[in-house]
Amino acid sequence: MNAPATTQLPVVVIGAGPAGLAAAAHLLDQGVEPLVLEAGQSAGTAVREWAHVRLFSTWGEVVDPAAEKLLAPTGWTRPDPATYPSGGDWADLYLQPLADALGDRVHLGATVAGVSRTGRDRIVDADREQQPFVVHITHADGREERVFARAVIDASGTWATPSPAGGSGLAALGEKAAADRITYRVPDLTDPAVRARYAGKRTAVIGSGASAFTALAYLADLAKSDDGAGTKGLWVLRRGISGSTFGGGQADQLPARGALGLAAKAAVDEGHADAVTGFRTEGIERDADGQLILLGEDGRRLDAVDEVIVLTGFRPDLSFLNELRLGLDERLQAPTPLAPLIDPNQHSCGTVYPHGHRELSHPEPGVYLVGMKSYGRAPTFLAMTGYEQVRSVAAALAGDLDSADRVELTLPETGVCGGAGLFDAPDTQETDGGCCAPAPQLVQLGAPAAVGAAAEQAPAGGCCGS
């Protein structure tokens, strides 16, 4: 089967999540035909897996303008822009209608197994840029197919590849063997079976971002309920406690995001969780009763827990892009031009610079990683960033470079944005209650009002991030 002329081909978009569907809408707006390939059986499959979690962005910030334009003729009614959707709301009330509006341009149950240049592996130079892309697909029924594309936009996200508990970036010793007691997602405590798993139990929460805050708040609510007596959280942080540990608090320009940090602090203040700082997990063991014991790199052993919730971020799956020539930062696994702009060691959500197709480009022309995947391991991504990315990329693919280069984006400042880097390194520590307290310890925190004041005085993003 010979590939048709490149100009006759669609742009393949991998993933029917928020960024992927927005990319398709922008391509159509530019007169370019998209083909969206989604591994799941519905639009927003990954979003549906956290349907119970409420976003800290409002409807006004998570609806893409080109998507809204596409939806308008269908009679779609935009939800109140000032309200906060859950993941389930976002999927049901926006992503699914958008996929329906795109019609047969969206293919479900289509897993991308590989992407290459037609007749060229990554070694071959000859006429490489003149060859269309070939995308190998495995369908849900096992059938294999290949399609050709003029360009490829990978918006597959990072949800399927969570980071492990191990402080080195590798799975902790014993982590895989303890998989029956470990989850890498915020549990849905409205599900009776899930609720019973955590009620009255001692649960370690490893992580320091918005997901960890949410899990701690959920466990605290369970502890205060009639069926949750005895529920206790153990918050395991790889760094110290500072004013920025709980995000922007009342100073956060996304109020719901700030409230998450305050809820996590309240969980500790009210005794529903203890916080262990400066702890980098090296191993996980079972005791004689089947409970789990976390072992630190410094030799400490924490008291046994019944369950572990690992919320240490995500990382991109690049395996199916192995035959393409990608330019990726060696630390973040983000596009090389973008990485310095999103480095969590330097930037918070609000200090990420506007960026578009040029920062998202690779040595292989016509390939773009967008959305959460474009950020690699950086945790600073917001939906509105992805929407501006795909607007710029779609314009570039349509040949409208003036529009593609006119990238404007203003992000809310402060909040839960830092990464898991060595923020507690000696040259960033302060000893008088400052940033990243160096001494690992069990912490009981002061009154919520005091932390709120400290958060308001901290610089955007803080020196420790999240």
Side-chain angles (χ1 to χ4, degrees), residues 260-308:
L260 281 178
L262 297 179
K265 183 184 184 306
V268 178
D269 289 339
E270 295 169 4
H272 300 302
D274 293 321
V276 177
T277 63
F279 190 93
R280 297 179 181 274
T281 306
E282 174 72 15
I284 301 175
E285 293 182 353
R286 289 186 191 267
D287 66 11
D289 297 323
Q291 291 183 298
L292 302 182
I293 299 173
L294 301 184
L295 312 177
E297 292 178 353
D298 57 4
R300 282 183 293 163
R301 298 168 62 92
L302 301 185
D303 290 341
V305 296
D306 300 290
E307 300 284 343
V308 177

Side-chain angles (χ1 to χ4, degrees), residues 59-437:
W59 272 113
E61 296 158 334
V62 297
V63 173
D64 174 78
E68 186 170 9
K69 179 180 176 181
L70 184 64
L71 283 165
T74 70
W76 180 76
T77 301
R78 180 178 184 173
D80 182 348
T83 61
Y84 296 89
S86 66
D89 296 334
W90 203 17
D92 290 338
L93 303 180
Y94 169 63
L95 298 178
Q96 190 59 56
L98 180 54
D100 293 341
L102 288 164
D104 59 8
R105 298 180 179 92
V106 178
H107 293 199
L108 302 176
T111 300
V112 174
V115 183
S116 187
R117 290 280 188 178
T118 303
R120 307 288 189 276
D121 63 21
R122 66 184 296 163
I123 298 175
V124 179
D125 290 332
D127 298 323
R128 184 176 189 86
E129 293 184 17
Q130 284 68 52
Q131 304 306 312
F133 294 95
V134 59
V135 181
H136 285 241
I137 305 166
T138 302
H139 292 275
D141 60 5
R143 178 173 54 91
E144 296 182 328
E145 182 186 7
R146 66 176 179 176
V147 298
F148 299 100
R150 58 183 286 190
V152 175
I153 298 175
D154 183 358
S156 59
T158 58
W159 177 256
T161 47
S163 296
S168 62
L170 304 174
L173 297 177
E175 184 171 344
K176 294 179 181 178
D180 61 316
R181 297 289 187 92
I182 300 175
T183 184
Y184 299 85
R185 308 286 188 255
V186 176
D188 181 3
L189 297 185
T190 64
D191 182 322
V194 176
R195 192 175 184 87
R197 176 174 175 175
Y198 296 95
K201 305 292 180 59
R202 179 175 163 85
T203 299
V205 177
I206 304 176
S208 55
S211 294
F213 293 171
T214 302
L216 289 165
Y218 283 5
L219 290 173
D221 287 343
L222 178 58
K224 290 181 279 190
S225 67
D226 293 339
D227 62 341
T231 303
K232 184 78 172 184
L234 179 67
W235 189 16
V236 181
L237 298 100
R238 293 173 178 170
R239 63 192 77 144
I241 295 284
S242 76
S244 63
T245 296
F246 301 95
Q250 297 174 6
D252 199 321
Q253 291 183 13
L254 289 176
R257 183 174 62 188
L260 281 178
L262 297 179
K265 183 184 184 306
V268 178
D269 289 339
E270 295 169 4
H272 300 302
D274 293 321
V276 177
T277 63
F279 190 93
R280 297 179 181 274
T281 306
E282 174 72 15
I284 301 175
E285 293 182 353
R286 289 186 191 267
D287 66 11
D289 297 323
Q291 291 183 298
L292 302 182
I293 299 173
L294 301 184
L295 312 177
E297 292 178 353
D298 57 4
R300 282 183 293 163
R301 298 168 62 92
L302 301 185
D303 290 341
V305 296
D306 300 290
E307 300 284 343
V308 177
I309 302 173
V310 179
L311 301 168
T312 53
F314 297 87
R315 52 189 60 180
D317 176 9
L318 301 165
S319 60
F320 60 88
L321 303 177
N322 196 44
E323 290 305 318
L324 298 177
R325 299 175 176 180
L326 302 182
L328 298 172
D329 180 73
E330 68 276 7
R331 293 174 302 155
L332 298 184
Q333 295 179 295
T336 304
L338 176 61
L341 308 182
I342 62 172
D343 185 348
N345 293 285
Q346 303 294 329
H347 294 287
S348 74
C349 293
T351 63
V352 172
Y353 296 107
H355 58 274
H357 73 108
R358 296 193 185 279
E359 291 82 5
L360 297 170
S361 64
H362 292 274
E364 190 84 71
V367 174
Y368 298 94
L369 276 59
V370 302
M372 187 66 218
K373 191 162 186 176
S374 71
Y375 272 41
R377 299 193 183 200
T380 51
F381 183 76
L382 292 173
M384 62 185 79
T385 303
Y387 294 157
E388 181 63 4
Q389 287 179 341
V390 298
R391 185 206 62 77
S392 173
V393 168
L397 290 174
D400 185 358
L401 292 182
D402 287 342
S403 177
D405 289 336
R406 192 170 59 250
V407 180
E408 297 179 1
L409 182 65
T410 301
L411 296 174
E413 293 182 357
T414 73
V416 184
C417 300
L422 292 173
F423 293 91
D424 50 0
D427 62 350
T428 64
Q429 291 177 356
E430 296 177 13
T431 57
D432 296 325
C435 192
C436 307

